[in-house]
Amino acid sequence: MPQSLTKIKKDFTEGLSQISRFWGFPKGMGAIFAVLYLSPTPLSLDEIVAETGLTKGAISTEIRALARMGLVHRSTKLGDRKDYYAAETDFYAAIKSILKERQNSEFDRAVKSVKAALTAMDENWVDNDEWKFTYKRVQALQEFFEAIDSLAKAVIKLESLGFSNVTKILGVLK
Amino acid sequence: MPQSLTKIKKDFTEGLSQISRFWGFPKGMGAIFAVLYLSPTPLSLDEIVAETGLTKGAISTEIRALARMGLVHRSTKLGDRKDYYAAETDFYAAIKSILKERQNSEFDRAVKSVKAALTAMDENWVDNDEWKFTYKRVQALQEFFEAIDSLAKAVIKLESLGFSNVTKILGVLK
DNA sequence: TATTACGTTTAGTAATTACTAAACATACAA
DNA sequence: TTGTATGTTTAGTAATTACTAAACGTAATA
């Protein structure tokens, strides 16, 4: 008694929804991606409504976020005014795209505020132990962020982040 | 007119709070870590209450999460029944610890559900195009997750993930 | 110009999450 | 044993976030 494709798709979609939530995105976002990812052809907004049960409004805003991250692509058909959406299937490309997006994010602003704390201290140095201690700690964190940042930038620069590169990294880490 | 240390600490704490939120943790968690990180000595619960303005209850639960991730350490003093908390200052160690924690998480369960979808399809194969298409897609995602997972595992295995290793990785990616 | 077929925005609601205040548990001290 | 100093749990509230329903804008078509 074979499990129906419908059931499998549903389970898969639920799985991605949870993964989405885990990363702090709405679970609906994961569901939208899953539906597109399992569709052989690009889907229109209304088709996504039908598949996910979400409303047009929600999908409209969330799919824009997905597009900004490079996880879905919007296309049109000649003589059809609907938009059609397809999932990005090259996940390595998606990672690059997400990392790029990250650069202008709230996160980066916060990271910069650590850097700012450091320069603020530089500019009006007070020579006591507490001051020195604080400085060192802030500096250490800043350096850590910088390391992470150069990693991210290195990944962005790769033309392709395929399995070969991942394998290389694994090799070095041995 | 030098910026006071208090002001700098406050800014720093706010920065970490935002970073914490960005990663889907409560902002209070970032604040707690920041306060501990900038303290030369371990702090008691009540001292953290004083510094952050949060209540004991909140701190109690959130600091447990931080400890589970290896971002703070609990200690005691002889003849003093308070607990004292200090921030982990080796961020690379913290990353390892967080990755380990992740292994048993909700995330991992979700990832496994993708693998499960795959085996479910294996076990009662239907030989038509839609089925094949779906199988391929699910399989591709599963392989991607596996690549990520081996990376994570490789990092966990390193005795130390210092700057040298990061530099090595950067070298390979050139 | 009016109508239709779409996507977007908006205002409000539901659901979730972070947090508080206070009761509780525990261990030590008197 | 009672009281006191601690950390934890719980029940409820505040704040945030995800989502809906419906109004809106716009461009193509009649």
Side-chain angles (χ1 to χ4, degrees):
Chain A
M1 184 203 284
Q3 253 187 315
S4 76
L5 203 52
T6 324
K7 169 75 162 57
I8 285 167
K9 283 184 177 180
K10 204 179 121 264
D11 288 352
F12 179 86
T13 304
E14 264 162 33
L16 281 203
S17 299
Q18 279 192 250
I19 290 172
S20 176
R21 273 203 9 178
F22 182 85
W23 291 109
F25 302 111
K27 73 173 192 228
M29 200 159 153
I32 293 170
F33 180 82
V35 162
L36 292 176
Y37 185 70
L38 293 186
S39 165
T41 57
L43 299 180
S44 70
L45 236 181
D46 282 323
E47 286 169 317
I48 302 172
V49 167
E51 294 279 342
T52 61
L54 299 175
T55 57
K56 277 200 304 172
I59 294 170
S60 170
T61 49
E62 270 159 27
I63 216 160
R64 216 174 322 133
L66 283 166
R68 217 174 39 232
M69 294 194 280
L71 280 166
V72 310
H73 302 291
R74 184 185 304 229
S75 59
T76 47
K77 290 180 188 171
L78 271 166
D80 181 345
R81 52 173 121 140
K82 288 200 196 78
D83 287 346
Y84 288 89
Y85 302 91
E88 170 65 66
T89 53
D90 179 346
F91 299 113
Y92 297 107
I95 284 186
K96 277 175 62 174
S97 168
I98 289 170
L99 288 177
K100 261 185 211 156
E101 166 71 9
R102 191 197 62 89
Q103 304 271 41
N104 319 16
S105 73
E106 209 57 23
F107 173 72
D108 228 54
R109 274 194 48 238
V111 167
K112 271 173 195 146
S113 83
V114 172
K115 176 86 180 172
L118 213 57
T119 24
M121 291 189 85
D122 273 330
E123 279 164 13
N124 44 93
W125 187 260
V126 177
D127 209 39
N128 65 35
D129 286 351
E130 198 194 0
W131 189 270
K132 276 183 211 157
F133 171 84
T134 308
Y135 189 84
K136 274 200 175 162
R137 288 261 158 129
V138 176
Q139 190 178 34
L141 183 59
Q142 208 274 319
E143 274 164 12
F144 173 72
F145 282 150
E146 230 157 52
I148 298 290
D149 201 53
S150 17
L151 270 179
K153 283 197 179 122
V155 169
I156 289 174
K157 267 191 202 134
L158 298 171
E159 341 67 61
S160 130
L161 172 60
F163 274 103
S164 71
N165 274 316
V166 173
T167 317
K168 269 193 224 163
I169 296 174
L170 289 176
V172 179
L173 292 184
K174 270 281 150 62
Chain B
M1 185 205 283
Q3 253 188 312
S4 75
L5 204 52
T6 324
K7 168 77 162 58
I8 286 166
K9 284 183 176 177
K10 207 180 119 262
D11 288 353
F12 179 85
T13 305
E14 264 163 32
L16 280 203
S17 299
Q18 279 191 252
I19 290 171
S20 176
R21 272 203 8 179
F22 182 85
W23 292 109
F25 303 112
K27 71 176 194 228
M29 198 160 157
I32 293 170
F33 180 83
V35 162
L36 293 176
Y37 184 69
L38 292 186
S39 166
T41 57
L43 299 179
S44 70
L45 234 181
D46 282 324
E47 287 168 316
I48 303 172
V49 167
E51 294 277 344
T52 59
L54 298 176
T55 58
K56 278 200 303 174
I59 294 170
S60 170
T61 49
E62 271 159 28
I63 216 158
R64 214 173 325 131
L66 282 166
R68 219 177 36 233
M69 293 193 282
L71 280 166
V72 311
H73 303 289
R74 183 183 309 225
S75 60
T76 47
K77 291 179 187 171
L78 272 166
D80 181 345
R81 53 174 120 138
K82 290 198 195 77
D83 288 348
Y84 289 88
Y85 302 91
E88 169 67 65
T89 54
D90 179 348
F91 299 113
Y92 297 105
I95 285 185
K96 276 174 64 175
S97 170
I98 289 170
L99 287 177
K100 261 183 210 154
E101 165 72 9
R102 191 196 63 88
Q103 303 271 41
N104 318 17
S105 72
E106 208 57 22
F107 172 73
D108 229 51
R109 274 196 45 239
V111 167
K112 270 173 196 145
S113 85
V114 172
K115 176 87 179 172
L118 213 58
T119 22
M121 291 189 84
D122 272 330
E123 278 163 15
N124 45 92
W125 187 259
V126 178
D127 208 40
N128 64 37
D129 286 350
E130 197 192 1
W131 188 269
K132 277 183 211 159
F133 171 83
T134 308
Y135 188 83
K136 275 201 174 165
R137 287 262 159 127
V138 176
Q139 191 178 33
L141 183 59
Q142 208 274 320
E143 275 165 11
F144 173 73
F145 283 150
E146 231 157 51
I148 297 291
D149 201 53
S150 18
L151 270 179
K153 282 195 181 124
V155 170
I156 289 173
K157 267 189 202 135
L158 297 171
E159 340 70 62
S160 128
L161 172 59
F163 275 103
S164 71
N165 273 316
V166 172
T167 317
K168 268 194 225 162
I169 295 174
L170 289 177
V172 180
L173 291 185
K174 271 282 151 58

